Amino acid sequence: MTPDSRLALARSLDAEDPLASRRSLFEGHDDDAVAAYLDGNSLGRPLKATSARLTEFVRDQWGGRLIRAWDEDWLQLPQRVGDRIGRIALGAAPGQCVVADSTSVLLYKVIRAACAARPDRTEIVIERDNFPTDRFIVEAIAADRGLTVRWVEVAPDAGPTLEGVSKALGPDTAVVVLSHVAYRSAHIADMEAITRLTHDAGALIVWDLSHSVGSVPVRLDECEADFAVGCSYKYLNGGPGAPAWAYVAARHLADLSQPIPGWLGSADPFGMGTGYQPADGIRRMVSGTPPILGMQALQDMLDLLEEVGIEAVRAKSLKLTSFAVTIVEDLMGADGVQIASPRAPEERGSHITIDHPAFSGMISELWRDGIIPDFRNPHGLRLGFSPLSTSFEETLVGIGSIADRLRSRGLD
Ligand SMILES: *Cc1c(COP(=O)(O)O)cnc(C)c1O
C-alpha cells in the first residue's frame, strides 16, 4: 500500500465505525503530545465524566453523608457494581460477582477456596505462560498445602488449548487456573470446552478474565464456569489500582470457604461477635472495608458499555486488530517482524504482540515521542486497542512510527 492508501483506509474505517463518536468521551483523546495510545489494555483512559463523579463523590457522599453513607449505600456497592459487571460483560446472573481486593489477592482467595472444595486432590494445573501473579500465587498455594503444580505448555504466539490442558489434567487435579485472553499473545481459550473437560475430570476451574472483561464478551453462566477473577483498570477504565472483581458460581456459594475471613464478609459485621460466620452468598468473598473510592471511575465505563453493548465493542475490536495486522505486515513484514498472536481474528482478544530483536531498545524512545505501546520480554511490542477510545487512524500513526524507527535503525 502507499502511504496515501493506508491513510485513506484508516479514515474510511473510522468514518464507518458506529462507535467512533465515543472516543471524544475520553480524557486526553485530543492530546497532541500522545499521538497513539496503544496501552489501554494495561491502563484504560479516564472518561471525562469521571472528574465530575469524583468531585461529587467527595463533596456530596463522603463530605455530606460522612459515615452514614456506609449504611445508606457503600456497604452494598461491592455487590451492586459486581452484579453490573456480571450482567454487562460476563454473562453472569446476579448474586455471583463482587468487587473487592486487587486481582492478585482475589486470585489467592478464589484458588484457595477452589482447593478447599476438592480436599482429596493434590494437583493444580496452570499454563506455563500465564501472567506472573497467577503463577506465583499458584506456586505459593501449592507449597502451603503440599500440592503439585502441573504446567500446561503453550506456544508463545498462542495460549492454553483443549489438548494442552487435557495432558496436564488427571484424577488428582483439584483446580485448573487459566487466562481466557493470554496477556502476551491475546489468544482466546475455549472457555466452554475447557471448562467441560475440567469438570469431566472432577476438577474446578478458575478463569482469569483480566484481558477479556470489557472487550471480549464471555458467558460464564452458560459455560458453567466455577470461578473467575478480573481487573477493572484495563478495559473497564477504573483507574490505577482500581479494585478487581470475583465471580463464584451460585452452586458453590453455600459451602464456599475463603482464606481471609474478615469482618465485612461475615454474617453480622456490626454484631462484633466472637467466632467468624460467613455472610450468605457472594458477600463472603469480601474481607475488609471495600475500596469505595476505587469503584467510582469504573461505574462510568459500565454506563458506557451498557449503552453501546459489549457485542458492538467486540465487533470494533475485531476490526482494529485485523487492521493492525494488515498494517504491520504491510510496513514491517519485509523487515522480519513477526505477529506473535493468533492469525484468525476471532481467536484473539483486543491486542496483538509483534516481535523483532530491535524492539527491545525502542520503547523509551517511543514513549518519549507520545507513541505508547507496551514492551513484553524478550522483544515483543504489545499493541493494545481499547475499542471505545482507540481510532483506526491512531492505530496507523502508532504502527507507522514503530516502522519508521525500525527502518532508521537498520540504516545506522
Ligand atoms: C493485569 C493482570 C493481573 C493484575 O493483577 P493485579 O493484582 O491487579 O496487579 C493479573 N492477571 C492477569 C492475567 C492480568 O492481565
Side-chain angles (χ1 to χ4, degrees), residues 42 70 124 163 169 208 228 328 360:
S42 241
W70 280 112
I124 307 182
E163 199 195 352
L169 262 180
D208 189 325
V328 167
S360 57

Side-chain angles (χ1 to χ4, degrees), residues 253-294:
L253 283 170
D255 299 320
L256 184 83
S257 157
Q258 63 100 338
I260 309 180
W263 68 308
L264 281 175
S266 73
D268 183 17
F270 300 100
M272 305 293 174
T274 42
Y276 172 79
Q277 283 296 323
D280 283 341
I282 190 70
R283 182 75 194 185
R284 67 178 57 186
M285 280 307 295
V286 171
S287 297
T289 303
I292 301 302
L293 198 49

Side-chain angles (χ1 to χ4, degrees), residues 24-70:
S24 64
L25 299 174
F26 291 86
E27 211 59 77
H29 72 95
D30 51 358
D31 178 355
D32 291 336
V34 178
Y37 188 51
L38 303 181
D39 214 354
N41 57 324
S42 241
L43 180 68
R45 283 182 182 280
L47 277 156
K48 289 178 179 168
T50 297
S51 304
R53 181 188 288 270
L54 290 176
T55 303
E56 256 173 62
F57 177 83
V58 172
R59 190 187 55 215
D60 301 342
Q61 291 197 48
W62 183 6
R65 301 312 298 159
L66 296 164
I67 200 165
R68 295 170 294 184
W70 280 112

Side-chain angles (χ1 to χ4, degrees), residues 31-45 359-376 380-384 397-399 401-402 405 409:
D31 178 355
D32 291 336
V34 178
Y37 188 51
L38 303 181
D39 214 354
N41 57 324
S42 241
L43 180 68
R45 283 182 182 280
F359 287 159
S360 57
M362 209 181 269
I363 198 83
S364 53
E365 276 174 40
L366 287 165
W367 280 27
R368 188 198 57 211
D369 294 345
I371 307 292
I372 312 184
D374 214 333
F375 182 67
R376 286 291 173 262
L381 284 181
R382 195 177 66 169
L383 314 178
V397 167
I399 296 171
S401 295
I402 295 167
R405 246 160 267 261
R409 275 176 186 249

Side-chain angles (χ1 to χ4, degrees), residues 102-104 107 130-131 133-134 179 183 208 210-211 231 233-234:
S102 68
T103 314
S104 300
L107 276 167
N130 207 333
F131 193 79
T133 218
D134 303 58
S179 281
Y183 80 99
D208 189 325
S210 293
H211 278 280
C231 285
Y233 50 80
K234 291 172 178 166

Side-chain angles (χ1 to χ4, degrees), residues 319-329 352 383 385 395 399:
K319 290 197 173 133
L320 279 165
T321 58
S322 299
F323 176 66
V325 166
T326 303
I327 298 300
V328 167
E329 287 183 330
I352 61 168
L383 314 178
F385 310 98
T395 301
I399 296 171

